[in-house]
Amino acid sequence: MRPLFGFTGGVKPASHKTESNQGGIVVAPLPPVLTVPLRQNAGLASRPLVQAGDRVLKGQAIAGPGGSISVAIHAPTSGTVRGIETHPIPHPSGLLAPCVVIEADGEDRWIERTPVDPYALPVEELRTRLRDAGVVGLGGAAFPSFVKTQHGPTQRIETLILNGAECEPFITCDDLLMRTQAGQILDGAAVLAHIAGAQRIVVGIEDNKPEAVAAMTAAAQRAGLLVEVVAVPTRYPAGGEKQLIRVLTGIEVPFGKLPPDYGVQCFNVATAYATARALLHGEPMISRLVTVTGNVERPGNFEVRIGTPIADLLKLAEPKADTDRNLMGGPMMGFALPTLDAPVIKATNCILAGSKAMFPAPGPEMPCIRCGSCARACPMDLQPFEMYWFSRAKILGKAQEYHLFDCIECGCCTYVCPSRIPLVDYFRFAKSEIRAREKENEAADAARQRYEFRLEREEREKQEKAAKLAAKAAETKAKLAQAGDADDKKALIAAAVARAQEQKAEEKPGVE
Amino acid sequence: MSNNSPFLRQPASVQVVMLKVLAALLPGIAVYIHFFGWAVVVQIAIASVTALVAETVMLAIRKKALKPFLTDGSALVTAWLVALTLPPIAPWWLAVLGVLIAIVVAKHLYGGLGQNPFNPAMVAFCALIVAYPQLMSQWPAVGFTDFGAQMQAVFGHRDLDAVVMATPLDALRTALHTPEARATVSGVLGSHATFGNIGGRGWEWIALGYLLGGLWLVQQRVITWHIPAAFLGTLGLASLLASLASPDQYAGPAFHVLTGGAMLGAFFIATDPVSGSTTPRGKLIFAAGLALLTWIIRVFGAYPDGIAFATLLMNICVPLIDMSTQPAVFGHKGKQP
Amino acid sequence: MLEALLVMALGSVILGGALGYASVKFRVEGDPLVEKIDAILPQTQCGQCGFPGCKPYAEAIAKGEADINCCPPGGEDGIHKLADLLGREFKPLSGEHGVEKPKSTAVIDENVCIGCTLCIQACPVDAIVGAAKQMHTVVASQCTGCELCLAPCPVNCIDMVPIPETIDNWKWKYPVFAVQKAA
């Protein structure tokens, strides 16, 4: 048995898992129109490869990677591209973004799928395939997985950690996936470990999911893989990447460093499953498991195509009449969807319907009494009340000195605050303000450089012109001296004046 | 209200925190009443009413919402602490004045709840003991629990020669500071009528009452162990070393820890989060400094107890202590300067 | 009397020495003032302040020849920072130099542009590309929004377009402080 390390802080909200993890997985019906956003992964948005009127097959790439940290996007079904339109996407801002809109033809016809033997191909080839299959982290951040399998010269990946902790209340899609697809998950994990060069795989699952632990353990034994399945104590946010790495290995990955700096890398169980589908079955990422739960009559887990309107998905679970908000993600880190028109994307792990009764409005916000509850609850060992103080006063530099950017926005501080201060809101505000200012400063520095360069150039041109004029004057003088005649002098001056006028006229082309 | 995550909140509130502090004071108050009579309750009542009125007026002047702040319980905690540090037979206006100083000056003039750099109750205590040293040291003899006579002292004509008596701490220091008395610690503490077995008759039991409530607060996670442990530990250590060096001149740890306001200070005064240190190491330093100053003022100073002045002095140091004791952040451990 | 004087004198000598030593030993070698001011200015190079660019304005502020509230693109925020840096009182933006506007970039209507190169010459940061008698275009990422290209254009084909809010530049808002409202 592996020794566990634990982490400081954390909270234990009611888990609400049983509502949605009792039934099986329901396949959501194919909607008539699918809206597939071009920005689905962390990093750069994908670059569209189709245009209005194109016929596409299920699994056909409709967008390619838009940069080095970007992946491909695929048609979730066969049909016709209606166009690339701006459309609401699931984002706290409620802003529109470009999406490929596909009208399904109902045939759901696959493009030719090419499964590969991953152990027969070079790892670079596997990474490219992973990228071109659109595999991103399915835990919520949607970071391109192929990038995470690489490591720099000073880094190494020895241990691959598979994150099945699923610490957020209400969400059970990883639980269900582990119960039903443990073998595929481990196959995918083995491939990821192979690509990353890791020798060990450790699976971390919160101990409130005994069925998942049992299924994964059994699958590991069947496959004869050297996989360790570890039940970790249930405490939010045990499923945070940094916390899970700490619990399983004792390693603390600070802000500014990456897990490979310490010999580990972490993937979500659903990502491992998607890897298996992509490489072993040739099926790109076109659907995922989504938990729909909360204030609904029939909570459960659904296999949903990317691009399905969230409103359609929600209807399957029959939301109750008093539902007043719908979250994407869990109650601790999710966000309220500004509109249900937005589609399901790769990062959608849960749609949580909420009501006033489920999420009662906290009492009035009171001043901070420095009680330190937030510091005790913080899994990153921060002093949230100090960061709050400076963020609220917009003294952003000081907030940064108190390690603002180490904050993982898990929400534990806000959860425990007896003064009901929305601490995380202040941290999100301060972080995005600092990022925006850094960008502004960069732009200002670039502008200053370009301006100084221009001044320099103008100065140089002036000098060159002066030098030219001086040379010419000297030449004229010499000519004059040679001629010595008054008439010649006059002729020369007349010629010069004519030249000057000519020049002047040339300088103002097309003004009249 | 924010419509951002987290959407779940623990049902904690400032009110619950403050009510727990009040509840934790009850065992100590019960023992206090047993030894000093119901005048204790009268003092608490006077202080509480004054506190609520003062709070209401100040909130109205500062145009703040009345309901959340009046019901938060913080004014009551301040009022109770002021009342518990006054002699039970102090005139009624002394409690009123003390609470006014605490609420109006030390709390609201500095910005209200959460903003005061000094512990309001201790500001009040210091102001009163400087302005009315005599009234503040007239404690009734233990067992003087005649309610009528007490009320006569509180509300009417004060003729107290028969019943007033110095606190053990005061009596011991007065005796030791009077050279012609040639008193020794063991000699003074030997008179059981005043000094009981350890910390003064009655006082040691009151201290245990506060200890009980304080431990409950630790168990309830309202306060952490750091401040009480460092305070009592340092006070005990300082008095132990001194008494070992010169047992005739300095009282030992048992006396210092169980007498005067040591227990009240350790669990209820030094642990005020607003004016105290907040980092774990900072709490240890804060409480240790507090205890050391308390001991010095008790032994060498001229006031009945040292906790109040020590608290204010240490409150000044809090920003410095906190800044230099920031705990290492996740992943940054071992790299701290 | 003499003793007291001596003590005081000695004290001041020692303290003076210590202070002098400290000022030499712990001197903070910072950027010259002009550069610190220039770092706060937005580098729009628009000249609305009455100086030919941000650096000249910074120099004028440092010399005390210009006030700190003459920079509309820097806005109130910039004035606050300048006031903090220079230890001066904050004052609102002076109206005669213009008003604070949302950040914009210049956009050339390429159907109208006649390729006169006048805007290219006017652009302080060389953010317009094109050649004589060829259509010009603004490199949006380099445009500072200074508006200096608007006036020279003989055919008025340049418009200032506010930068729209997108997912990329969207920011979390400052939380609403609700204590005052609660009753």
Side-chain angles (χ1 to χ4, degrees), chain B residues 25-301:
Chain B
L25 282 168
L26 291 177
I29 292 174
V31 184
Y32 196 7
I33 293 169
H34 173 74
F35 285 106
F36 288 95
W38 291 97
V40 173
V41 177
V42 174
Q43 295 287 358
I44 290 176
I46 295 171
S48 301
V49 171
T50 315
L52 291 179
V53 171
E55 184 85 3
T56 311
V57 172
M58 288 312 288
L59 287 172
I61 292 173
R62 295 179 57 219
K63 297 191 174 58
K64 294 275 175 186
L66 287 183
K67 196 178 151 224
F69 285 105
L70 264 186
T71 53
D72 68 20
S74 62
L76 283 183
V77 170
T78 304
W80 287 29
L81 288 177
V82 171
L84 292 177
T85 51
L86 297 181
I89 50 166
W92 62 273
W93 54 264
L94 205 62
V96 171
L97 184 63
V99 171
L100 285 181
I101 291 170
I103 299 285
V104 176
V105 180
K107 183 177 176 188
H108 280 286
L109 290 190
Y110 280 100
L113 180 67
Q115 310 287 322
N116 46 293
F118 297 105
N119 186 318
M122 292 302 102
V123 171
F125 183 88
C126 289
L128 293 183
I129 203 156
V130 169
Y132 305 99
Q134 214 192 341
L135 289 178
M136 288 295 285
S137 38
Q138 285 176 334
W139 286 75
V142 172
F144 171 64
T145 53
D146 177 351
F147 190 62
Q150 286 184 333
M151 288 306 99
Q152 173 72 19
V154 173
F155 292 104
H157 178 65
R158 292 173 68 79
D159 179 19
L160 297 166
D161 289 346
V163 295
V164 161
M165 153 179 186
T167 63
L169 206 50
D170 222 1
L172 176 67
R173 203 207 17 252
T174 312
L176 292 176
H177 280 207
T178 316
E180 52 274 21
R182 299 186 184 283
T184 61
V185 169
S186 54
V188 176
L189 292 189
S191 58
H192 279 248
T194 313
F195 288 97
N197 297 314
I198 304 167
R201 220 182 118 214
W203 291 91
E204 50 210 24
W205 292 104
I206 297 171
L208 289 178
Y210 289 137
L211 174 65
L212 190 68
L215 290 177
W216 179 72
L217 280 188
V218 175
Q219 187 264 328
Q220 288 290 304
R221 311 190 104 220
V222 172
I223 58 173
T224 62
W225 58 270
H226 302 82
I227 287 181
F231 180 88
L232 296 175
T234 310
L235 187 61
L237 189 68
S239 43
L240 176 70
L241 292 179
S243 72
L244 285 180
S246 174
D248 282 350
Q249 247 180 310
Y250 302 104
F255 174 76
H256 272 289
V257 164
L258 287 175
T259 199
M263 279 299 171
L264 190 66
F267 287 97
F268 296 92
I269 293 167
T271 52
D272 169 35
V274 177
S275 56
S277 268
T278 49
T279 63
R281 274 193 302 146
K283 282 177 181 170
L284 295 178
I285 295 172
F286 172 78
L290 185 55
L292 205 59
L293 283 173
T294 300
W295 182 78
I296 289 171
I297 296 171
R298 273 182 172 186
V299 173
F300 302 106

Side-chain angles (χ1 to χ4, degrees), chain C residues 1-182:
Chain C
M1 179 68 193
L2 191 65
E3 238 171 66
L5 275 178
L6 277 175
V7 167
M8 293 304 284
L10 194 68
S12 39
V13 166
I14 291 172
L15 285 176
L19 280 174
Y21 174 76
S23 74
V24 174
K25 176 84 183 172
F26 303 113
R27 186 208 294 281
V28 183
E29 283 293 347
D31 302 334
L33 189 56
V34 174
E35 255 156 52
K36 280 193 191 158
I37 298 172
D38 196 40
I40 291 172
L41 297 175
Q43 304 305 317
T44 319
Q45 318 294 358
C46 60
Q48 289 183 75
C49 50
F51 296 89
C54 295
K55 190 75 170 277
Y57 178 44
E59 279 159 5
I61 294 177
K63 280 188 209 144
E65 288 165 6
D67 219 332
I68 56 172
N69 62 344
C70 307
C71 176
E76 306 252 309
D77 211 31
I79 300 172
H80 272 297
K81 280 190 198 152
L82 287 174
D84 281 350
L85 173 69
L86 302 166
R88 294 197 203 163
E89 205 56 36
F90 167 82
K91 31 176 105 170
L93 190 64
S94 120
E96 59 187 286
H97 296 281
V99 289
E100 199 176 341
K101 292 179 200 167
K103 262 194 86 96
S104 309
T105 49
V107 174
I108 295 177
D109 185 341
E110 298 176 348
N111 297 319
V112 185
C113 175
I114 52 170
C116 70
T117 76
L118 288 176
C119 59
I120 296 181
Q121 292 165 41
C123 180
V125 291
D126 293 336
I128 307 180
V129 292
K133 310 231 167 81
Q134 305 286 318
M135 182 258 296
H136 306 337
T137 194
V138 178
V139 182
S141 63
Q142 286 164 3
C143 176
T144 64
C146 68
E147 305 189 358
L148 290 178
C149 53
L150 300 190
C153 179
V155 289
N156 285 332
C157 74
I158 309 180
D159 286 309
M160 297 307 295
V161 178
I163 299 172
E165 191 178 42
T166 64
I167 303 273
D168 287 311
N169 63 16
W170 177 79
K171 292 195 284 187
W172 285 95
K173 305 290 174 288
Y174 187 76
V176 186
F177 198 57
V179 164
Q180 247 78 330
K181 276 183 273 169

Side-chain angles (χ1 to χ4, degrees), chain A residues 159-172:
Chain A
T159 308
L160 190 126
I161 289 173
L162 214 50
N163 187 346
E166 201 164 51
C167 59
E168 274 244 20
F170 289 99
I171 309 180
T172 57

Side-chain angles (χ1 to χ4, degrees), chain A residues 18 21-22 175 178-180 182 205-218:
Chain A
T18 45
N21 70 1
Q22 297 304 309
D175 184 9
M178 287 187 284
R179 291 188 200 189
T180 55
I205 305 171
E206 271 194 352
D207 56 14
N208 62 357
K209 290 179 268 293
E211 296 91 341
V213 174
M216 293 291 282
T217 311

Side-chain angles (χ1 to χ4, degrees), chain A residues 288-312:
Chain A
R288 67 159 298 153
L289 268 192
V290 182
T291 305
V292 185
T293 183
N295 199 40
V296 294
E297 298 289 351
R298 302 177 52 178
N301 283 281
F302 298 85
E303 167 93 32
V304 193
R305 310 286 173 116
I306 305 301
T308 305
I310 288 173
D312 289 12

Side-chain angles (χ1 to χ4, degrees), chain A residues 13 169 242-243 246 252-255 325 327 331-336 359 361-362 364 366-371 376 379-383 385-386 389 402-403 406 411 414-416 418-420 422 424-425 428, chain B residues 1-15 17-18 68-69 72 113-115 221-224 272-280 283 318 322-323 326-333 335-336:
Chain A
K242 288 170 192 281
Q243 279 67 37
R246 156 101 189 139
E252 292 189 1
V253 182
F255 171 73
R325 76 193 92 178
L327 316 184
M332 296 300 287
M333 288 187 78
F335 60 89
F359 304 133
M366 300 282 287
C368 171
I369 54 168
R370 291 162 48 91
C371 67
R376 286 199 294 279
M380 296 302 289
D381 308 321
L382 298 166
Q383 300 280 304
F385 60 95
E386 303 276 14
W389 183 254
Y402 280 94
H403 293 277
D406 284 77
T414 310
Y415 178 77
V416 298
S419 291
R420 304 144 186 146
V424 196
D425 281 10
R428 280 188 284 244
Chain B
M1 194 204 80
S2 129
N3 195 24
N4 293 323
S5 65
F7 296 87
L8 291 176
R9 302 290 186 97
Q10 207 171 44
S13 69
V14 175
Q15 192 184 20
V17 171
M18 296 295 174
F69 285 105
D72 68 20
L113 180 67
Q115 310 287 322
R221 311 190 104 220
V222 172
I223 58 173
T224 62
D272 169 35
V274 177
S275 56
S277 268
T278 49
T279 63
K283 282 177 181 170
V318 161
D322 277 0
M323 229 186 322
Q326 282 298 309
V329 171
F330 186 96
H332 298 276
K333 288 160 197 164
K335 275 194 232 160
Q336 293 296 306

